[in-house]
Every structure is written in C-alpha cells, then in structure tokens.
Amino acid sequence: YDYSFPTNPTRTSERNMLALPQPFGIAVNGVLFDPLAAAWYSATSATGWSMNRADASSGWSVNPLSSLVDLGLDKNGAHVQPSGAYHYHGIPDGLVDEVHRGKHSPLIGWAGDGFPIYLDRGYRIPKKKGSGVRRLRSSFQLKSGLRPDGPGGSYDGTFVEDYEYVAGSGDLDESNGRVQVTPEFPRGAYCYILTRDFPVIPRSFRGALASSFVHTGPDRQPPQGGPPDSGPPRRPPRGTGD
C-alpha cells in the first residue's frame, strides 16, 4: 500500500458516508480497517443472505460481526480478500494485547481523511488529561420492535440497519468520534474511536478523503502480494468479495 494523508485535516459540515469498496482507514501495522461486507439479505437464498450485488436493493446489509454469516474471521476480527489482502472487520486484538486497561489508548491508525484512530480507552473528561481513563461507548443502539420488511423478525444486530444513532446515549458522535486530548495530541484533536459495541469501526468520515485513499470499483486489492506459496495473486471476480 502507498497512502498519504493530510497533516492538518479539517472537519466538513456534513458527514461523508463509508460505502463499498472504500476502506475506512489503515492501522499502524499497515493493515486496512474495512468494516463493510458485500453481503445483503436475500429472499431467494436458503441462507437468508447473498453476496449478489443485486440484493443490495433489499436495503438490509449484513453485519459482518453477526452470527448470520461466517466470513472466516480470526481473533482480530479479520480475514483475507481473494487476493490475499488481510483486513480488519473488527477490533484488532492482536495489535492491542499489550494495552493496559488503566492507560489511555495508543494511536492505532489513521482514517482516510487524515484524522487519528484510537481504541475505546479515553479520558473521562475529553479535554482534561488528569481526569482518569474509562471505556468510551458508542451512541448507536439496537432499534426496538420488528423489522418492517425484508428479513422481518426483531432487530437483533444481524443487519447494519438494525441500529440507529441516539444522540447522548454514549460518548461519541455519529462517526464514532469526539474531540479529545491524547498523549499524541496534547492540545486536542478530533479522533475516531474503535468500540466494542456497534459500529466497532466507524462508518462515516468527518473530513474529506485524502486523494490517495480514494478507490473505485471492486478491484481495490493491492497489485502485488498474496498468501505464501499461493502463486500469483488473484483478483476477485467483479461483484464479489467483501
């Protein structure tokens, strides 16, 4: 990968929603944060979901961290594209195993708009270093009641649309971020937070994407690399992948 980010990103007046095939950001170890999955509810599939892009019109996107679909995720909530490109759908536990619970999260990555990414360990008072550290919570909640169409049944987290943003119910905004001071930014900065609850990895940007981070089309995999001893890397067929 070869990415460049602005050193002084600025927030835009409106959120920029994450959409396939755009990844959200990149970790300090070079692995992409890629929370979306190309899987949707399908009324004609025996499993109840499919990776056929025609089913995207159902309006129900599979939550890759739900139990409905087995994407072969490892302990880091990650797996590989058909090309062998490894990417995170969830919290990269292998990257953060050494983080002490009593300490502020270290910087673990950068979003596509240049803002930093942290884990959910932040100061109790966002702009006060000496206020103690606690786990930060998302402001997304499961909807109540029954789904009006599509898969039907109760909202249970199987689909992305099972959740809604409830301002003030957690610590973070609709992009799973907040302005806070950190060890790396003692004067404060807007930061994205990876949370244990939905959405885990943010699903929208508060700034404009860096030009090097803009990808179009399904073939977003790097042109080189792949699994060991696998021969030349394979590009996924168009319309497939996650």
Side-chain angles (χ1 to χ4, degrees):
Y1 300 116
D2 184 5
Y3 290 116
S4 298
F5 301 95
T7 55
N8 293 295
T10 56
R11 281 188 285 174
T12 56
S13 58
E14 296 183 358
R15 291 187 301 148
N16 297 310
M17 298 303 298
L18 182 66
L20 290 169
Q22 177 65 54
F24 178 74
I26 189 167
V28 292
N29 60 4
V31 178
L32 289 174
F33 290 110
D34 197 356
L36 303 182
W40 301 271
Y41 165 72
S42 172
T44 60
S45 171
T47 62
W49 65 276
S50 82
M51 300 181 76
N52 184 342
R53 289 181 184 270
D55 286 316
S57 62
S58 72
W60 297 93
S61 308
V62 171
N63 178 0
L65 299 179
S66 74
S67 59
L68 174 67
V69 54
D70 182 6
L71 296 180
L73 302 181
D74 62 17
K75 64 171 288 186
N76 300 303
H79 64 176
V80 296
Q81 294 282 1
S83 68
Y86 187 70
H87 59 282
Y88 296 125
H89 279 287
I91 299 289
D93 287 323
L95 178 63
V96 303
D97 276 345
E98 301 305 316
V99 177
H100 191 281
R101 289 189 176 185
K103 295 182 180 180
H104 191 286
S105 164
L107 174 71
I108 64 165
W110 300 94
D113 56 8
F115 286 113
I117 302 173
Y118 286 85
L119 296 171
D120 58 350
R121 299 293 298 181
Y123 297 125
R124 293 180 181 276
I125 301 175
K127 298 182 180 180
K128 188 174 182 180
K129 180 179 178 180
S131 60
V133 173
R134 67 180 176 87
R135 174 163 287 177
L136 305 179
R137 296 179 299 113
S138 159
S139 295
F140 283 84
Q141 304 290 327
L142 269 177
K143 297 176 182 177
S144 59
L146 302 176
R147 303 184 186 102
D149 52 35
S154 301
Y155 296 110
D156 60 6
T158 296
F159 298 94
V160 172
E161 293 74 21
D162 287 350
Y163 295 89
E164 62 183 346
Y165 175 73
V166 180
S169 62
D171 304 294
L172 309 175
D173 64 18
E174 288 181 273
S175 295
N176 234 41
R178 70 174 189 170
V179 176
Q180 62 179 14
V181 297
T182 73
E184 293 82 6
F185 295 94
R187 295 185 178 181
Y190 182 80
C191 304
Y192 294 109
I193 309 298
L194 302 189
T195 52
R196 294 287 171 178
D197 45 357
F198 185 88
V200 185
I201 298 173
R203 309 300 175 93
S204 62
F205 300 98
R206 295 307 303 259
L209 280 176
S211 59
S212 68
F213 214 82
V214 175
H215 295 267
T216 58
D219 296 329
R220 65 167 182 230
Q221 289 78 19
Q224 298 179 355
D229 303 318
S230 64
R234 297 180 293 111
R235 287 182 179 271
R238 290 190 178 275
T240 65
D242 54 271

